[in-house]
Amino acid sequence: MSTPEFQPQIPHFAERVRSNFARQGAMRTLGARLTHIAPGAVDMEFDWAEGLTQQHGFIHAGMVSAALDSACGYAGYTLMPEEAAVLTVEFKINLLAPARGERFRMQGRVLKPGRTITVCEGRAYASANGHEKLFATMSCTLMALIGREGVRD
């Protein structure tokens, strides 16, 4: 998935993403790790674990949704100003195939950044035996929250 050239609003955007990601209990539960951070782009991975599966042994769609949502959210966050926090306001996921594999890679990419609303897309890939397969896509709308009580960066 290619990413247009975006300019981050703060020079330390990658460190900011890493710090914020480290506070996410949900991504810790998945065992997710950041593998790529660039302006408007974030990739993360996690490994297959029984606690993340549904009854057939595939990664549960809820886990896939959460991971893609975070990848898209952090992609948008790379372009937001210092005082902004990020929240998802809408997403749609397409499950193209069962989430079967040894490792799962989530890509989040900004399509259109905005002062308040940012639109992203996500793609999920499963790896098994050295082969990678696209198994889900997401469209995601994010909101930059500035000055909201109880919401912090």
Side-chain angles (χ1 to χ4, degrees), residues 1-146:
M1 189 177 344
S2 66
T3 305
E5 296 257 341
F6 294 117
Q7 292 297 331
Q9 296 189 43
I10 58 174
H12 59 280
F13 70 92
E15 293 81 18
R16 182 177 180 228
V17 166
R18 282 187 199 93
S19 173
N20 192 285
F21 184 84
R23 294 195 320 260
Q24 264 215 24
M27 293 303 101
R28 241 186 338 274
T29 297
L30 288 177
R33 55 205 173 269
L34 295 168
T35 59
H36 174 74
I37 303 170
V42 166
D43 293 1
M44 51 191 262
E45 293 182 350
F46 63 93
D47 298 322
W48 184 93
E50 186 177 5
L52 306 177
T53 64
Q54 44 81 292
Q55 69 276 15
H56 302 297
F58 308 133
I59 298 297
H60 192 284
M63 304 301 174
V64 174
S65 296
L68 274 175
D69 174 43
S70 285
C72 288
Y74 283 116
Y77 193 55
T78 65
L79 302 176
M80 292 182 182
E82 183 82 48
E83 64 277 10
V86 62
L87 283 179
T88 300
V89 295
E90 176 273 339
F91 69 70
K92 179 192 183 304
I93 188 166
N94 290 302
L95 303 167
L96 309 173
R100 178 186 339 207
E102 301 156 359
R103 191 180 70 253
F104 303 90
R105 182 169 61 94
M106 308 293 152
Q107 290 184 326
R109 299 295 185 267
V110 171
L111 296 176
K112 172 76 171 73
R115 187 169 34 97
T116 304
I117 298 295
T118 295
V119 177
C120 298
E121 71 177 359
R123 293 190 181 174
Y125 297 89
S127 295
N129 302 318
H131 295 94
E132 194 172 62
K133 178 181 177 181
L134 177 69
F135 72 90
T137 62
M138 175 178 277
S139 59
C140 185
T141 306
L142 308 169
M143 176 182 282
L145 294 177
I146 297 174

